[in-house]
């Protein structure tokens, strides 16, 4: 990293793994080689996700983690735009609304901002797709999901999200882009997608800065 906003030194830039096709047709998990346009990963074959894909700019690693932490805990708010610039290339062509993954009000009070909302706002400015942080709310504080296992994570986020008044009219028939900084187990994205689709969204695609690809990193 460098002191300037939106700039990486050669070493950090080289350490970033940018993601894209070939990938799973359902969840966009990157494949090592092209398996065909409609190919699915093993997990999606066994249990199709409630969302319509997870698009991540880079694989989670030391540099990607540092950028995310600078935004969340060091007050480097310009990092939201840095992330958005890398994420912009993966914006769905039919995107109708950007919705950031919400934080619980206690977390916002302690941090002062929702990093996903900052990224969504930067994406909106770059792409012209409207962003609305008032569509989805987190009604239940959730524990740290690391180490809970798949069932434990699902239980932890069950009932954690709800639509706000008037959200259904904003969602009706739209392709909603759910925005977050880091995608780990998928439990949060799945819970949000279910609520948004029940609210009338035609599709829900998660767009994030970094995606954890190693299963052991979730435990």
């Amino acid at each position: 990293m460098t002191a300037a906003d939106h700039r990486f030194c050669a070493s950090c830039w080289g350490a970033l793994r940018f993601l894209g096709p070939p990938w799973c047709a359902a969840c966009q998990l990157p494949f090592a080689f092209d398996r065909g346009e409609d190919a699915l990963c093993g997990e999606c074959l066994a249990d199709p996700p409630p969302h319509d894909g997870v698009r991540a700019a880079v694989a989670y690693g030391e540099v990607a983690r540092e950028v995310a932490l600078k935004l969340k805990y060091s007050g480097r708010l310009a990092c939201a735009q840095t992330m958005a610039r890398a994420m912009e290339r993966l914006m769905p062509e039919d995107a109708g609304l950007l919705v950031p993954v919400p934080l619980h009000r206690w977390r916002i009070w302690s941090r002062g901002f929702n990093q996903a909302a900052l990224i969504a706002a930067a994406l909106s400015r770059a792409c012209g797709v409207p962003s609305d942080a008032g569509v989805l709310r987190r009604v239940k504080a959730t524990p740290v999901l690391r180490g809970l296992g798949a069932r434990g994570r699902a239980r932890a986020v069950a009932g954690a999200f709800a639509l706000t008044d008037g959200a259904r009219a904003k969602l009706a028939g739209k392709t909603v882009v759910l925005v977050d900084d880091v995608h780990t187990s998928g439990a949060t994205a799945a819970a949000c997608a279910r609520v948004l689709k029940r609210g009338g969204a035609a599709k829900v695609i998660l767009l994030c800065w970094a995606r954890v690809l190693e299963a052991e990193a979730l435990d």
Side-chain angles (χ1 to χ4, degrees):
M1 296 290 289
T2 69
D5 291 335
H6 322 309
R7 296 289 186 271
F8 293 87
C9 66
S11 176
C12 289
W13 181 258
L16 287 171
R17 176 188 170 189
F18 289 88
L19 301 180
W23 55 24
C24 170
C27 74
Q28 274 88 66
L29 179 72
F31 289 149
F33 58 90
D34 193 346
R35 302 182 186 181
E37 185 177 347
D38 298 322
L40 300 176
C41 67
E43 187 170 338
C44 286
L45 283 169
D47 186 18
H51 54 69
D52 298 280
V54 178
R55 302 185 180 194
V58 299
Y60 189 78
E62 183 178 348
V63 176
R65 176 179 180 272
E66 183 179 352
V67 174
L69 292 180
K70 282 181 180 294
L71 173 59
K72 290 171 71 169
Y73 302 119
S74 299
R76 294 283 293 275
L77 303 188
C79 287
Q81 187 176 347
T82 302
M83 295 177 183
R85 286 183 174 187
M87 294 160 61
E88 184 181 351
R89 65 186 171 87
L90 297 175
M91 179 72 74
E93 292 183 0
D94 60 345
L97 184 66
L98 301 173
V99 175
V101 172
L103 291 180
H104 192 269
R105 63 181 183 277
W106 295 346
R107 186 68 60 83
I108 293 178
W109 288 342
S110 63
R111 187 175 298 166
F113 59 88
N114 176 0
Q115 71 277 2
L118 295 178
I119 299 168
L123 274 169
S124 180
R125 291 191 296 271
C127 300
V129 179
S131 174
D132 194 331
V135 167
L136 194 63
R137 61 193 180 100
R138 191 182 292 247
V139 296
K140 183 178 78 172
T142 52
V144 175
L145 301 184
R146 184 186 297 274
L148 292 183
R151 291 184 179 180
R153 292 190 289 265
R155 286 195 298 268
V157 298
F161 303 96
L163 297 179
T164 58
D165 293 340
R168 291 179 181 274
K170 300 175 181 178
L171 295 171
K174 287 188 173 70
T175 292
V176 174
V177 178
L178 183 67
V179 179
D180 207 358
D181 57 346
V182 177
H183 177 73
T184 51
S185 69
T188 297
C192 290
R194 291 188 182 96
V195 173
L196 291 168
K197 285 195 169 182
R198 286 198 296 266
K203 291 194 295 184
V204 177
I205 297 171
L206 179 68
L207 180 58
C208 60
W209 157 244
R211 177 174 185 166
V212 174
L213 297 179
E214 302 296 332
E216 58 267 24
L218 304 179
D219 300 323

